[in-house]
Structures are given as C-alpha cells and as structure tokens.
Amino acid sequence: MAKTVELIIDGKSHTFPVVEGSEKELAIDISDLRDKTGYITLDIGYKNTGATKSAITFLDGEQGILHYRGYAIEELAEKSTFLEVAYLLIFGELPTKAEYEKFTTDITKRTLVHEDIKKILDGFPSTSHPMGVLSSLFCAQTAFYPESLNPNRPPDGVYLSIIRSLGKMPTFAAWSYKNAIGHPVNYPDNKLDYCPRFLKMMFALPGQEYEVDPVVADALDKLFILHADHEQNCSTSTVRIVGSSKASIYSAISAGINALWGPLHGGANQEVIIMLENIRKDGGNIDKWIDKAKDKNDPFRLMGFGHRVYKNFDPRAKIIKKAADDVLKKLGVNDPILEIAKKLEEIALKDPYFVERKLYPNVDFYSGIIYRALGIPVDMFTVMFAMGRLPGWIAQWKELRDQGEPIGRPRQVYTGKTKRPFVPIDKR
Ligand code: CMC
C-alpha cells in the first residue's frame, strides 16, 4: 500500500501522500495542503523543501555521495571529459562515439560571438568584476537570438540554444578577463579542444606564440567536471525559477551566474584565497583566525567551510585536495598558502565548534589554490565555477521544460501592518 502521513490540525485529520525517490529519499507531498487545511508551510531558506522531482543529480550529504545520472563523481572525474559529462547531464546518457563527435563539433562551430558583443564589452569600465560582465554578455544573447524568447521553440531550436550556450561561454569568460586588464580580446582557435581553446583566449598576447600546457588544460577539465551540477542549489534554483516563467534560456542562465557570484555560494572560492592570503600576511597565526570564525560578534566566517547539504564531507573537496597536491607538483609550484590551508583544515576538523556543527571543507576550499597555480587571476575564480556549472544549469532548465513544470511562486507569512486608513500629509 502506498505510504501516507497524517497531519492533525485542531483535531481534524488530513492525509498526504509520501513520494519516494529512486535512492529511497522520502518526501511528503503537500501540494494541496492549503486547499485542504488553509495552512501553508514555512521554511525560510528552503532547508526542507523539495522544489521538484529531478533525475539529474543525486547527493547524500550525510554519506558524502554525489552522482550525476547514476555515475559516481569520483569515477567521472577520473575517467571522463567535461564535454562528455555535459552531454550526460543534459541528455541523460553518456554519448556514443558518434554522438560525442557531433556534440563537440556542433559546439566548436558556435564559439564565435557577434562582433557587436565587443561594443557591449567596451561599455564596461575595466573595474567591472568579470562575473557582472559575464552575466550581462550571456543575457545579451537574447538580443542576438530573439527566437530564443519563444517559449514554444521546437526541440531543434532548444538544441541550438544549448549548443550556443556551451560554445560561447568560454569566449564570454575570456573576454570578461581581457576587459578587466584592458587587453584586446582573442578569437577562439577552433583547432583546439574546449579547455585549451579557453586558455588560449585568456592568456595569448598579441604577436606572441602561446602553447597550452596540457597539465593546466587537464586540471581545468577535471575541475569543470566536479562543478558541473549540484542539484537544487541557490544558482540552479534561480535558473529553474526564472526558466519557469518561460523566459529565455539565456536570461535564466544569466540569473544563475548572478546567484553564483555571492560569497556564500560560488564566490567563496575567491574569498578563500583572500582569507588564506590575509592569514599569511598576518604571520600565519591560524588559531587567531579560527577564534574569529567562532566569535558570534565577528562577521568573519571560515570561507570554504560548511555546506547546506554535506554534513560529513564534500566528496568534491576530497578529490580537489588531492588534485591540488598533484597539480602543484606537476607544475613545480610551491604555494605557501597550500600549507596554511592544510593546517587550517587540520585544526578546524579537531575543534569542537566545527565538529559539533558538522562544518567540513567544501569544494571551494582547495579549488582556488589550483586555479592560482594554473595562473587564473583571483577575480576569475567564480567565472571558472560558472563555466563548470553551465551544463548543470542547462540540464535543469531543460528538465523543467520537458516536465512542463508550473511557474515557481512561493507563498509567505505576512508580518507587516494590518489594514489602516490613508491620511494625506498636510501640504499647505
Ligand atoms: N565558519 C564559521 N561558522 C560557520 C561557517 C563557517 N564557514 N559555516 C556555518 N557556520 C556556523 C553558523 O554560524 C551556524 O552556527 P550557529 O548554529 O551557532 O548559529 C551553523 O554553523 C550553521 O550555519 P548556517 O549558516 O545556518 O548554515 P547554512 O546551511 O545556512 O549555510 C553555508 C551554509 C555554506 C552558506 C555556510 O556554511 C557558509 O557561510 N560557509 C562559508 C561560505 C562558503 O564556503 N560557501 C561555499 C559553499 S560550497 C560551494 C557552493 O556550492 O556554493
């Protein structure tokens, strides 16, 4: 018999169905709660609210498990490529050789952006944060591809928007950096693969040869895989909620980029490096900074620590910690902040404050150290996260569309003034 739960309000019983996920996750379906009882639920920050049924990513925060479409993140990070993972997330299965070739060729054909995008870019002062530039350029595609505004686009139109998003994202990302340093932009070199092409657009200088280091390109590819999706986090929920109004895919993803920017979300990778640098400059007194993080009168938090869902360990952080060691060794980089990070982690993991609150290093704790070793400037760290997260946002947007989900519209408990008469001010 199907499982149900009973809710008793003022002595009256109401029955609600229980929904079970494929990994045995349980949810109470309260979609008709208000109709049946007149009540709504209150869950500020959506800590216990399932906003959708999704077949893309499974994560178990207690056990530190992360799967994309049923494949373990550890296995994908070791054996797969970013574009293969992108295909998997978006279309549900790993591609065959022919599908993969078509997908990568289609993307490569769409790496160029309209020349007028350069005029928009020129309007940004060089002080602009690359995340703001990225979200603006991404949204500007609605102007160059107005057909994307049609909510009833046929499937081949949707496919084209997906391919354009993946093809142009590295170009926008590299150009947002060039704008920040006041250099001329580079055009995509379509003889190269996805990550090498991006690196060349980022770092090649006029009149100079630029050889992509395969160690750097491989490390970036792996980081992108680790960031590719993370179910209903802040930016993904933003993409879904904007998409639910049937706005264009470009505006939905642009909104996701803005949500990711914040220091409590993807912006944490930039903040981690700033924090580690501050600790180093301050003489490396880690205990002092741990005490600051524990002090409720001090707004400082240990950046790269804690997670809404992971309460044991973040499996991505485990892989990234090892990758940080490997990459720095391969590149011959000796970064003193890696040692500070490891010591900080060691001390925090033994401290009752962090143990009791189940605060562990998250994906952002070590990723910044790798980005730094790869030569990526700090302001671009969150842009790297956005590039990696793009396939996840696309997959979630597509799933919402395919499932014909209704517009997202939470309710509230009103706590303002009750009705009162309007008294005009005396203007005499
Ligand atoms: N340093 C010090 N204390 C912390 C930290 C931290 N990094 N994170 C949480 N706490 C404390 C918090 O003060 C609270 O203590 P108390 O119960 O005494 O009031 C308790 O732990 C629970 O924290 P919360 O803020 O209620 O937890 P949350 O689930 O709302 O927030 C978080 C999760 C990730 C926003 C938070 O842990 C945080 O601010 N971490 C630092 C920023 C960061 O690294 N963000 C990246 C997240 S992973 C990448 C991504 O997917 O975006």
Side-chain angles (χ1 to χ4, degrees), residues 8-181:
I8 298 168
I9 302 176
D10 299 332
K12 191 167 174 227
S13 163
H14 305 273
T15 305
F16 296 94
V18 168
V19 178
E20 186 172 333
S22 49
E23 292 277 3
K24 311 270 176 258
E25 284 185 306
L26 297 173
I28 304 165
D29 179 350
I30 49 101
S31 44
D32 58 0
L33 175 71
R34 191 164 179 276
D35 289 344
K36 275 183 175 165
T37 67
Y39 283 71
I40 59 164
T41 55
L42 181 62
D43 181 20
I44 296 168
Y46 310 125
K47 294 191 178 195
N48 289 290
T49 296
T52 190
K53 289 185 197 169
S54 178
I56 301 171
T57 289
F58 169 71
L59 79 81
D60 180 330
E62 281 72 33
Q63 315 255 10
I65 292 173
L66 175 60
H67 295 168
Y68 297 161
R69 302 275 189 191
Y71 295 98
I73 189 66
E74 292 80 3
E75 228 181 324
L76 290 171
E78 196 191 321
K79 299 179 185 159
S80 195
T81 66
F82 174 60
L83 286 188
E84 215 175 357
V85 168
Y87 187 98
L88 169 72
L89 287 167
I90 298 167
F91 301 110
E93 294 295 341
L94 284 167
T96 61
K97 188 166 176 283
E99 285 166 342
Y100 186 66
E101 276 169 14
K102 177 175 176 350
F103 184 57
T104 50
T105 308
D106 287 346
I107 290 171
T108 305
K109 279 187 198 153
R110 298 196 172 70
T111 53
L112 263 185
V113 301
H114 196 288
E115 275 298 286
D116 285 350
I117 286 276
K118 272 174 39 191
K119 292 188 192 149
I120 302 176
L121 189 69
D122 282 346
F124 283 97
S126 60
T127 47
S128 313
H129 192 286
M131 281 296 274
V133 177
L134 182 69
S135 79
S136 305
L137 298 186
F138 207 93
C139 196
Q141 291 186 95
T142 51
F144 295 94
Y145 305 110
E147 67 278 12
S148 71
L149 300 172
N150 173 7
N152 303 317
R153 299 193 78 187
D156 55 342
V158 170
Y159 179 75
L160 197 54
S161 296
I162 291 173
I163 293 296
R164 281 188 176 133
S165 297
L166 287 162
K168 293 173 202 312
M169 179 68 140
T171 314
F172 293 142
W175 285 17
S176 71
Y177 170 62
K178 291 293 190 192
N179 175 70
I181 57 169

Side-chain angles (χ1 to χ4, degrees), residues 47 230 233 263-266 268 293-294 296 300-308 311 314 316 353-354 357 359 362-364 385 389:
K47 294 191 178 195
H230 213 230
N233 55 81
L264 297 189
H265 193 7
K294 293 179 342 188
K296 294 289 170 202
F300 173 74
R301 279 189 168 199
L302 215 52
M303 298 313 285
F305 254 74
H307 199 275
R308 169 60 62 80
K311 300 297 174 197
D314 179 339
R316 303 166 301 171
Y353 174 95
F354 293 91
R357 289 169 179 77
L359 302 170
N362 59 48
V363 69
D364 290 327
F385 195 152
R389 183 55 54 87

